[in-house]
Amino acid sequence: MPRYAGFTLVELLVVIAIIGVLIALLLPAVQAAREASNRAACKNNLRQLGIAMHGFHDTKGHFPRGGGSPKKAQVSWTTELLPWLEEQPLADLIDHTEPYTSDSNLPAGSRVIDMLLCPSKPHVRELRGSADLSSSSPNRYGPTCYGGMQGERGLRSAKATNNPERGTMIFEREISIVEITDGTSHTMLLGEAPEGIHGIWIGVRNLFDQSAPINTRSGSEDADFTDFGQELSSYHPGGAQVLLADGGGKFFPEEMDDRLLAAYCSRASED
């Protein structure tokens, strides 16, 4: 009877084990490459928002206001920026005389804008409810991973407040570059908050009232979020990305000194 060459069961198991080891070795490298790509895409989103911000400033003489009246649920800074993001048809759908929560603004507010999404966030295109509406409301809105810097409290000292607002994106008032006396390269405009409680782009409260170090109060879709005015956070390991007032991007590490973070969150130094 002829004999045929082939693998024994032991040899086959050894080959399978070797393949498993190789996959285990390669998987972290693949994940790292994917995260590097996601981080680059997120940084580019912020740069594009920076270009739009400065285009708005060149035209109007100031940056967009952080938002209208929060008590009246007016529309956000993002709605003002839409024409500079090549979203004029979407901007035309928004009724600025009505609350963003009104039915008339739902067709616009429920749209997803890819430039406002960090690809590292799971389920990033999923629509979200509004904290300005009852939890039973069926209304769902387009998410955003980026918020405006309203200011900081409790970082530079335990008793520090954000009244009056110290940031570049504040309620019911526009800020110009001449008011950023700390320098545009040392002051934040925008930052990441992919799981922020007010993370919908049309919503008036999409601002940071920064009161904690980076990634300490959000950054996981499974976290129990509390409304502290949103905090800087991200799904990028080790920190979060921000947009500075000069249009440049920067990665802020989690171990960043509180007083330094406070200085970046403020447009004018304070002893």
Side-chain angles (χ1 to χ4, degrees), residues 6-62:
F7 287 108
T8 67
L9 178 60
V10 172
E11 289 172 327
L12 182 61
L13 291 175
V14 169
V15 170
I16 292 173
I18 291 173
I19 292 173
V21 170
L22 291 174
I23 291 174
L25 291 174
L26 287 173
L27 188 58
V30 171
Q31 291 174 332
R34 182 181 293 115
E35 169 54 26
S37 176
N38 288 346
R39 185 180 294 196
C42 180
K43 187 175 184 179
N44 184 63
N45 286 344
L46 284 167
R47 285 179 173 171
Q48 294 303 312
L49 287 168
I51 291 171
M53 282 282 189
H54 278 268
F56 185 100
H57 193 290
D58 289 345
T59 303
K60 306 284 189 177
H62 52 74

Side-chain angles (χ1 to χ4, degrees), residues 121 128-131 142-147 191-201 205-208 217-221 223-235:
K121 181 189 183 308
R128 302 186 58 176
S130 168
T144 180
C145 294
Y146 311 114
E192 288 191 87
E195 299 291 351
I197 194 170
H198 296 299
I200 55 178
W201 66 260
R205 301 180 193 272
N206 182 32
L207 300 174
F208 298 105
R217 287 189 176 148
S218 54
S220 166
E221 63 178 351
D224 180 16
F225 291 103
T226 304
D227 182 10
F228 288 93
Q230 301 193 180
E231 309 290 342
L232 287 167
S233 58
S234 84
Y235 281 97

Side-chain angles (χ1 to χ4, degrees), residues 20-259:
V21 170
L22 291 174
I23 291 174
L25 291 174
L26 287 173
L27 188 58
V30 171
Q31 291 174 332
R34 182 181 293 115
E35 169 54 26
S37 176
N38 288 346
R39 185 180 294 196
C42 180
K43 187 175 184 179
N44 184 63
N45 286 344
L46 284 167
R47 285 179 173 171
Q48 294 303 312
L49 287 168
I51 291 171
M53 282 282 189
H54 278 268
F56 185 100
H57 193 290
D58 289 345
T59 303
K60 306 284 189 177
H62 52 74
F63 292 120
R65 61 181 181 173
S69 167
K71 293 181 179 179
K72 297 179 181 179
Q74 293 182 325
V75 293
S76 71
W77 57 268
T78 315
T79 62
E80 295 190 68
L81 207 59
L82 289 175
W84 285 265
L85 296 174
E86 299 184 356
E87 293 283 356
Q88 186 63 56
L90 180 57
D92 293 339
L93 294 178
I94 297 172
D95 185 349
H96 289 253
T97 67
E98 290 291 324
Y100 82 86
T101 52
S102 70
D103 290 342
S104 63
N105 280 323
L106 185 59
S110 60
R111 294 274 292 275
V112 176
I113 303 175
D114 288 336
M115 191 184 298
L116 302 178
L117 306 177
C118 171
S120 288
K121 181 189 183 308
H123 316 296
V124 67
R125 295 178 61 84
E126 189 174 288
L127 299 184
R128 302 186 58 176
S130 168
D132 289 313
L133 292 172
S134 166
S135 59
S136 63
S137 172
N139 290 4
R140 292 294 181 267
Y141 297 91
T144 180
C145 294
Y146 311 114
M149 180 46 64
Q150 183 190 11
E152 62 82 24
R153 56 187 172 89
L155 288 175
R156 66 190 189 280
S157 70
K159 296 181 179 180
T161 69
N162 193 30
N163 185 19
E165 298 160 295
R166 295 164 46 79
T168 52
M169 306 286 290
I170 67 177
F171 288 122
E172 301 186 87
R173 189 168 84 80
E174 300 90 358
I175 300 296
S176 67
I177 284 178
V178 296
E179 296 179 77
I180 304 176
T181 57
D182 281 354
T184 55
S185 62
H186 298 96
T187 307
M188 284 180 55
L189 273 179
L190 310 176
E192 288 191 87
E195 299 291 351
I197 194 170
H198 296 299
I200 55 178
W201 66 260
I202 198 173
V204 68
R205 301 180 193 272
N206 182 32
L207 300 174
F208 298 105
D209 182 20
Q210 190 71 22
S211 63
I214 295 167
N215 280 348
T216 57
R217 287 189 176 148
S218 54
S220 166
E221 63 178 351
D222 298 321
D224 180 16
F225 291 103
T226 304
D227 182 10
F228 288 93
Q230 301 193 180
E231 309 290 342
L232 287 167
S233 58
S234 84
Y235 281 97
H236 307 303
Q241 301 199 93
V242 304
L243 174 71
L244 302 177
D246 65 355
K250 197 174 184 69
F251 188 79
F252 280 5
E254 293 174 354
E255 63 271 17
M256 189 175 194
D257 179 79
D258 284 355
R259 289 185 63 84

